[in-house]
Amino acid sequence: MEINEAGKIVIARPVASRPAFSGFRSFTELLCTTSSPNALSKTAVAAIKPRTVRFKPAGNQNLVEMDSFEAELSGSEDSSASDDILKSKITANVIYKPIAKLVSKTTISVLANLGRDNLACLQKIPEVEAQSNNQGNSPLDLTSESCQNFTSQSEAKGTATQENSRAGKNSVLLTTDGDRPSYDGYNWRKYGQKQVKGSQYPRSYYKCTKPNCPVKKNVERTLDGQIAEIVYKGVHNHPKSRPSKHTSTDGQGHGFASDATSNEMKNPVPSNQPNGRNECYEGRFDNRNDNESSGHSTYPGRVLLSKDLMIDGALNISVSTPDDSFGISEEFEVGSKDLEAEGDEPKSKRRKKEHQSIKEGTRDPQTANPNSADCEVLGDGYRWRKYGQKVVKGNPYPRLALIG
DNA sequence: ATAATTTGACCGTCC
DNA sequence: AGGACGGTCAAATTA
Ligand SMILES: [Zn+2]
């Protein structure tokens, strides 16, 4: 059961074993500059809520969607668990996001003002869950505007050290806050939360709000509100909603809350999906750094994502594709490897089913990316050109070097 | 009034 | 068979 921590913890740092490419940096830079992370923070509040009681009827649940696949894995770690990895990896994508979050303008301003007061920030930021204001726009804004701010911050921190980030303690900036969104282009509805055994943090369950979309994601957040891990399950059967600035976009119209996590949306994703489907297969985002936060700061992590995702942060990323699989995923690793996993987690339950589905759904990586030849569109919305590939020691899969 | 979130209970799977 | 867990449902609550 527990175990993961070790794995997760980590985070990796970037660097380490990667061949050096200048790419790294570039990546980072790119990310920062172009893509920006999503950072966000917001106000927050913590609330305590009453509890509800319910009776329950029973039964219905079988809906579960099977489309998804799963992933699991966890963590990060370096281990080498190759086998496991394989299995798990297959479907899973992990992303480690360091910072990120989206912030609303207000927040931004606040931050700006506060700038120094991290503490203050912290307090606010922490949990909000969302609702507030930002929903609609945040994403965009962030991207454009905010991002920069963040970016810089994050970046700075990241690379430089982010002191602040965590300095503040929990996190202010970097952190993710509560549930807010980082908009990943999709709208999510929280349908459950639970303390899972293997992790220290509560796991929140989100579902894509589009009517027929089976995609779900699990988000674990630290006390501070930072995202410790995100796992995506399933494939969207609809295009992303684009954040139009003011609008809510897509579907629902209201703001959505995307929970916090992931991606950035910012960009119009280029091509991502030809059809509009396949957006995410499964991914995971891990951030748990608490542990050591001290070390470095950024949360380096890894990301594996598949088609849509994102990356963010300031980290170094490396991308690798597993061959195996479905190609679904391309992984971004940020630091080290992690992978994980293992067996410990019981997660497996439904997984099996999912896997099957997954396979079906996912396959065709190539298809998915039209560009696959030399250029690939990773989840970040940008197009990358492969300029190298190499087998890296701790990692079972060849690592690709991409240039933006 | 409506939609989203919270949260205890229920269900299925694993051991 | 029974307990432990993770995941999901859905009434209650909140926004
Ligand atoms: Zn969806």
Side-chain angles (χ1 to χ4, degrees):
Chain A
M1 327 200 149
E2 341 318 2
I3 347 175
N4 324 339
E5 291 191 358
K8 301 175 163 195
I9 303 183
V10 174
I11 332 194
R13 273 140 228 209
V15 184
S17 34
R18 261 157 218 192
F21 338 3
S22 37
F24 253 31
R25 261 204 154 132
S26 313
F27 236 64
T28 322
E29 293 177 340
L30 291 178
L31 293 179
C32 299
T33 52
T34 27
S35 9
S36 53
N38 348 316
L40 63 43
S41 31
K42 223 170 194 160
T43 49
V45 176
I48 306 184
K49 273 149 183 244
R51 339 180 114 236
T52 37
V53 180
R54 141 208 195 189
F55 270 41
K56 136 136 285 117
N60 14 319
Q61 355 220 58
N62 307 315
L63 307 177
V64 185
E65 343 235 333
M66 305 198 138
D67 328 315
S68 11
F69 357 170
E70 235 185 10
E72 152 127 275
L73 0 163
S74 10
S76 1
E77 95 171 83
D78 316 297
S79 42
S80 33
S82 358
D83 298 347
D84 298 331
I85 298 173
L86 290 181
K87 301 172 184 177
S88 25
K89 235 180 189 185
I90 306 182
T91 49
N93 303 320
V94 180
I95 304 173
Y96 226 81
K97 199 179 212 166
I99 327 187
K101 290 175 142 235
L102 300 179
V103 182
S104 56
K105 294 183 173 184
T106 44
T107 309
I108 296 172
S109 17
V110 175
L111 292 177
N113 296 337
L114 298 182
R116 4 50 199 240
D117 304 344
N118 294 334
L119 296 178
C121 297
L122 292 180
Q123 299 176 344
K124 305 177 169 197
I125 303 173
E127 273 215 22
V128 177
E129 267 279 336
Q131 332 239 346
S132 347
N133 352 314
N134 346 322
Q135 305 188 332
N137 2 340
S138 26
L140 292 182
D141 297 350
L142 291 182
T143 344
S144 10
E145 312 174 351
S146 333
C147 286
Q148 298 181 343
N149 296 341
F150 268 113
T151 320
S152 34
Q153 295 178 344
S154 43
E155 202 178 22
K157 300 171 183 176
T159 24
T161 34
Q162 357 185 303
E163 54 256 27
N164 334 333
S165 24
R166 310 176 122 280
K169 99 159 281 19
N170 305 317
S171 28
V172 182
L173 313 174
L174 301 182
T175 6
T176 42
D177 58 340
D179 303 304
R180 225 169 201 234
S182 42
Y183 184 79
D184 48 3
Y186 297 99
N187 304 316
W188 304 92
R189 177 178 298 180
K190 185 175 184 176
Y191 64 89
Q193 180 172 323
K194 176 163 215 182
Q195 180 64 51
V196 187
K197 205 135 185 219
S199 80
Q200 348 180 357
Y201 313 114
R203 178 176 298 173
S204 297
Y205 299 89
Y206 295 85
K207 208 183 241 190
C208 181
T209 58
K210 275 279 184 174
N212 305 319
C213 184
V215 179
K216 294 177 185 171
K217 74 176 177 181
N218 301 343
V219 180
E220 291 182 20
R221 288 204 183 94
T222 61
L223 304 178
D224 327 17
Q226 301 184 11
I227 294 173
E229 181 177 309
I230 298 175
V231 178
Y232 285 86
K233 300 179 181 179
V235 179
H236 290 275
N237 52 18
H238 57 92
K240 292 183 177 182
S241 28
R242 6 188 125 210
S244 359
K245 271 177 171 213
H246 356 44
T247 336
S248 15
T249 335
D250 187 29
Q252 323 244 0
H254 328 341
F256 325 108
S258 349
D259 63 45
T261 2
S262 359
N263 339 300
E264 33 191 35
M265 46 185 205
K266 38 180 126 267
N267 358 282
V269 177
S271 31
N272 318 342
Q273 352 209 136
N275 339 352
R277 33 173 81 229
N278 303 327
E279 306 241 328
C280 2
Y281 295 18
E282 225 180 10
R284 189 193 231 186
F285 211 171
D286 245 346
N287 210 17
R288 314 170 162 218
N289 359 321
D290 292 352
N291 328 348
E292 51 180 27
S293 2
S294 32
H296 4 343
S297 359
T298 335
Y299 307 73
R302 122 195 269 97
V303 178
L304 300 177
L305 353 136
S306 326
K307 302 223 128 228
D308 57 290
L309 297 179
M310 36 247 189
I311 316 183
D312 39 338
L315 344 150
N316 313 301
I317 300 173
S318 48
V319 180
S320 49
T321 46
D323 346 355
D324 42 334
S325 27
F326 321 119
I328 331 177
S329 23
E330 287 136 354
E331 309 184 49
F332 290 53
E333 279 185 351
V334 175
S336 16
K337 37 190 52 308
D338 19 332
L339 294 191
E340 144 173 12
E342 146 131 283
D344 321 338
E345 302 196 3
K347 310 180 166 194
S348 2
K349 311 177 170 192
R350 306 185 179 189
R351 207 176 282 172
K352 300 175 181 178
K353 299 177 182 177
E354 298 180 357
H355 273 240
Q356 296 182 344
S357 325
I358 296 170
K359 294 179 180 179
E360 298 179 354
T362 45
R363 34 164 127 198
D364 281 12
Q366 303 226 344
T367 340
N369 301 336
N371 326 327
S372 32
D374 275 353
C375 296
E376 301 187 18
V377 175
L378 299 181
D380 52 356
Y382 293 95
R383 182 169 298 193
W384 301 92
R385 175 141 97 155
K386 180 178 177 180
Y387 68 88
Q389 178 171 330
K390 181 169 193 174
V391 175
V392 183
K393 202 153 174 207
N395 191 335
Y397 304 107
R399 181 167 291 170
L400 301 178
L402 304 179
I403 298 177

